[in-house]
Amino acid sequence: MSLIVQKFGGTSVGSVERIEAVADKIAGYRDQGHSVVAVVSAMSGETNRLIGLAHDIQDHPTPREMDVLVSTGEQVTTALLSMALNKRGYTAKSYNGSQVRILTDDTHTKARIKSIDGDRIRKDIEAGTVVVVAGFQGVDEAGNITTLGRGGSDTTAVALAAALKADECQIYTDVDGVYTTDPRVVENAQRLDTITFEEMLEMASLGSKVLQIRSVEFAGKYQVPLRVLSSFVDGPGTLITLESDTNMEAPVISGIAFQRDEAKISIMGIPDRPGVASQVLGPISDANIEVDVIVQNVAADNTNDLTFTVHRNDLQDAAAILNQVAEKLGAREIVTDDQICKVSLVGVGMRSHAGIASKMFAALAELSINIQLITTSEIKISVVVDEKYMELAVRGLHSAFGLDGEPESVE
Amino acid sequence: MSLIVQKFGGTSVGSVERIEAVADKIAGYRDQGHSVVAVVSAMSGETNRLIGLAHDIQDHPTPREMDVLVSTGEQVTTALLSMALNKRGYTAKSYNGSQVRILTDDTHTKARIKSIDGDRIRKDIEAGTVVVVAGFQGVDEAGNITTLGRGGSDTTAVALAAALKADECQIYTDVDGVYTTDPRVVENAQRLDTITFEEMLEMASLGSKVLQIRSVEFAGKYQVPLRVLSSFVDGPGTLITLESDTNMEAPVISGIAFQRDEAKISIMGIPDRPGVASQVLGPISDANIEVDVIVQNVAADNTNDLTFTVHRNDLQDAAAILNQVAEKLGAREIVTDDQICKVSLVGVGMRSHAGIASKMFAALAELSINIQLITTSEIKISVVVDEKYMELAVRGLHSAFGLDGEPESVE
């Protein structure tokens, strides 16, 4: 008999019918004797409806009021789910972020959780009540309503699980787990039974956006066992663990991640002296442009070539800034390319295995895919290649590293 | 420079455009140097939308969860109105019932206000901030969200005005004040500049439903000057005062109220002994049927005839109950009539003027309207007449008591 925190996202509670289905799922866990705390998002579409109202009034709505506005979305879902549970004969009680109380800092629209008071909820759980908590929201020291930013319901669930010392935090989504890569690109991609937090972080940030990255960090920090499951299909999902699979034969590579929509900018022939990298990237960061990969290499003539990638939408702005910087630094030229993509191998097994990188590069060479940039970390090797080779690269690596499963029969 | 509490109902904030108009109105008061606390309802239609969702799940939704659900409606409006004020360069802050804090008892869906903590709001007012409060809601001792029942936003406004010792509480509605009678029945009905609380109570309970009766009682009790105005048309509205108009020439009668949809039940020939009235009305009250007029008269044969009126929808239930009671008491018969209406003269001036009643009865006789029942109070005389004479009676009395104004020219 364990305590389970279950998080249901907007699609899972997108209609009265789906809320009823979630109630059935929770009821099933209660019938097995488990205690359940459910964390819910706003019904899908509701947050956008509310944001639309705000934008009808103000182009840049006051952040404090934005939080007051959008936090109502989750509150509505908590009430409806509690009613659905009550109808089924289960006692259930809804709480918003302020009632719990989920204390955050006062950074409206992207607040961070400081602490959670679990006492009130704990009493309900002990009394056999299903506790239904509004995700994504909290309250600051002064009692103002805050929100954690979009997707913050995952963070709420993990933080609650940590505060309540729950046995498992289950995140229900519209996919049935974490895959070796995107099944839309590689049809025989396989669901992973387990993945480590570190791997999950690399997978999430690289585009396998199953979970909000903050919630994964949080779960790792507080050692909350996290499981990703489907709201719509029964199954074990993927368990995100502290330790890599105990199976000695576990594959070295967990998955292949990729990122489209990137663009590459190179500033060529920068004089080789200290501080140039920050002189290049400082103005980019000041303009709130996020930079992904950064690669620098020393060229033969005592100048540097610095290359980095940004989101494709930011390319023009970044290039405009760099043209000014280049002139100031006396750099030779700026080269941009918006037809690139990033493909990454992720796996904790990589740490202890030499030769992964060379195997990766060889597999790509065999497919005649030219590698433009390479970066590596402890558990990840990323390459930037021409965008038109993305699917080819992902499929090739998926197969080369033995990740292909049996294609599922279509019924 | 006064402190004004302004309440805007669902129609007044029914769209983004109307919320903008409300912001303009508040801005006008701020520009004159007044401090403003705005109390808002849910955007019209929103409460019904939320109730609809609940009923899709449960026929009788859990009251606690119902309050969690519907209280989001007002919260949305507070955020949008605050944004609209911020856009205009006025500092504004929204608060829900729990944040204020408006402490109520724990009777979900029809809670009563116990106390209001005005400290937080007072600090904002002193800082020049427009405070925007969600009407209709509060929080109980245990921190559960409660609502005051439909129309409770008026009560919130009056209670806040009392707690803050506001100079005036303005209730914005879709009418521009309180009229001598319903302008839909008498076209030259006149707007009253002032009306006393007692008169307003009689007018409200008799069908001139401009204000929630609870809010009027509340305002009278705490001596909060209350003004009814239109959200859509500029004008002075009607001020509801403790004392009658100081004008010596003030009319004796303030207005003519009326009530359709009533039905009359008479129990004839009840033995004349103590306790019979309660034996008749007790079972009616036990069945939660509200009784309006009650008239008893001693008949010639030492039996009593007791007559009372109920809402027309309750007539069948009431008659069924009375048939059992009549048998037990040995009464002669039950007579019912659902084609009746009640017409009332209301005015504090009545107290000191003899002859009002006879003038009323004479005016009705001149129109050949038969009076079925008569009841009187300090400031009211009501008659029950055949429903088909209602408009005739109201117009006749309106004219007989000198309430007719000049018909307004249609432009």
Side-chain angles (χ1 to χ4, degrees), chain B residues 238-255:
Chain B
T238 298
L239 183 66
I240 303 166
T241 59
L242 282 176
E243 283 309 308
S244 153
D245 199 315
T246 47
N247 181 355
M248 295 292 287
E249 298 293 323
V252 173
I253 300 301
S254 288

Side-chain angles (χ1 to χ4, degrees), chain A residues 383-402:
Chain A
V383 296
V384 167
V385 299
D386 189 316
E387 189 188 26
K388 66 173 176 280
Y389 297 127
M390 198 199 80
E391 281 84 359
L392 185 64
V394 171
R395 288 188 197 121
L397 293 172
H398 200 264
S399 169
F401 284 91

Side-chain angles (χ1 to χ4, degrees), chain A residues 68-376:
Chain A
V68 170
L69 182 70
V70 296
S71 63
T72 61
E74 289 75 31
Q75 186 168 322
V76 165
T77 313
T78 62
L80 295 176
L81 178 56
S82 299
M83 288 176 190
L85 285 161
N86 288 333
K87 181 171 79 170
R88 284 163 177 74
Y90 299 85
T91 60
K93 265 169 110 173
S94 65
Y95 291 105
N96 63 27
S98 143
Q99 289 174 305
V100 166
R101 138 190 210 237
I102 298 174
L103 183 69
T104 72
D105 61 24
D106 59 3
T107 318
H108 286 291
T109 76
K110 38 184 187 282
R112 298 207 155 240
I113 296 176
K114 292 169 79 171
S115 67
I116 290 185
D117 181 357
D119 284 352
R120 191 169 181 178
I121 291 180
R122 219 170 272 122
K123 273 179 206 144
D124 285 328
I125 294 169
E126 278 159 19
T129 300
V130 177
V131 175
V132 183
V133 176
F136 164 77
Q137 57 183 253
V139 68
D140 71 10
E141 291 276 6
N144 296 301
I145 296 169
T146 55
T147 68
L148 311 178
R150 287 217 136 176
S153 291
D154 287 358
T155 309
T156 303
V158 172
L160 262 173
L164 297 169
K165 300 195 181 11
D167 297 286
E168 192 166 293
C169 181
Q170 301 180 339
I171 309 285
Y172 288 86
T173 65
D174 48 5
V175 298
D176 67 344
V178 180
Y179 274 71
T180 48
T181 193
D182 188 335
R184 284 168 301 187
V185 172
V186 180
E187 76 170 351
N188 46 8
Q190 296 181 88
R191 184 183 53 75
L192 296 163
D193 283 329
T194 63
I195 188 171
T196 68
F197 282 109
E198 290 159 304
E199 289 170 332
M200 188 65 200
L201 283 178
E202 296 290 3
M203 295 289 273
S205 65
L206 290 169
S208 310
K209 295 198 172 89
V210 178
L211 285 179
Q212 245 228 325
I213 193 162
R214 263 172 74 195
S215 64
V216 178
E217 288 172 350
F218 222 68
K221 185 170 168 193
Y222 290 99
Q223 311 201 357
V224 175
L226 200 59
R227 188 182 290 277
V228 177
L229 312 101
S230 165
S231 299
F232 309 112
V233 185
D234 285 336
T238 298
L239 182 66
I240 304 165
T241 58
L242 281 176
E243 283 308 308
S244 153
D245 200 316
T246 48
N247 181 356
M248 295 292 286
E249 299 293 323
V252 173
I253 300 300
S254 288
I256 315 287
F258 54 85
Q259 182 79 50
R260 303 173 206 261
D261 303 326
E262 295 219 347
K264 186 180 74 171
I265 310 184
S266 301
I267 177 163
M268 319 292 282
I270 316 169
D272 183 21
R273 59 170 190 262
V276 286
S278 76
Q279 279 175 283
V280 170
L281 291 169
I284 298 289
S285 148
D286 292 345
N288 280 319
I289 297 173
E290 279 187 37
V291 171
D292 183 14
V293 169
I294 305 171
V295 177
Q296 184 186 301
N297 226 342
V298 179
D301 56 353
N302 276 335
T303 62
N304 281 324
D305 298 340
L306 180 72
T307 300
F308 58 88
T309 64
V310 296
H311 191 279
R312 205 164 285 176
N313 294 341
D314 292 328
L315 178 60
Q316 277 205 312
D317 290 347
I321 292 167
L322 273 207
N323 275 320
Q324 299 180 339
V325 172
E327 201 169 341
K328 214 184 292 175
L329 290 177
R332 201 168 59 242
E333 60 174 331
I334 304 293
V335 181
T336 65
D337 183 354
D338 64 356
Q339 299 296 310
I340 59 146
C341 71
K342 187 174 63 171
V343 177
S344 308
L345 253 64
V346 176
V348 285
M350 200 182 286
R351 286 174 184 155
S352 48
H353 283 71
I356 299 286
S358 64
K359 185 173 174 186
M360 180 185 188
F361 305 151
L364 293 173
E366 203 163 294
L367 297 165
S368 302
I369 298 172
N370 188 44
I371 299 172
Q372 303 181 12
L373 299 176
I374 299 172
T375 55
T376 60

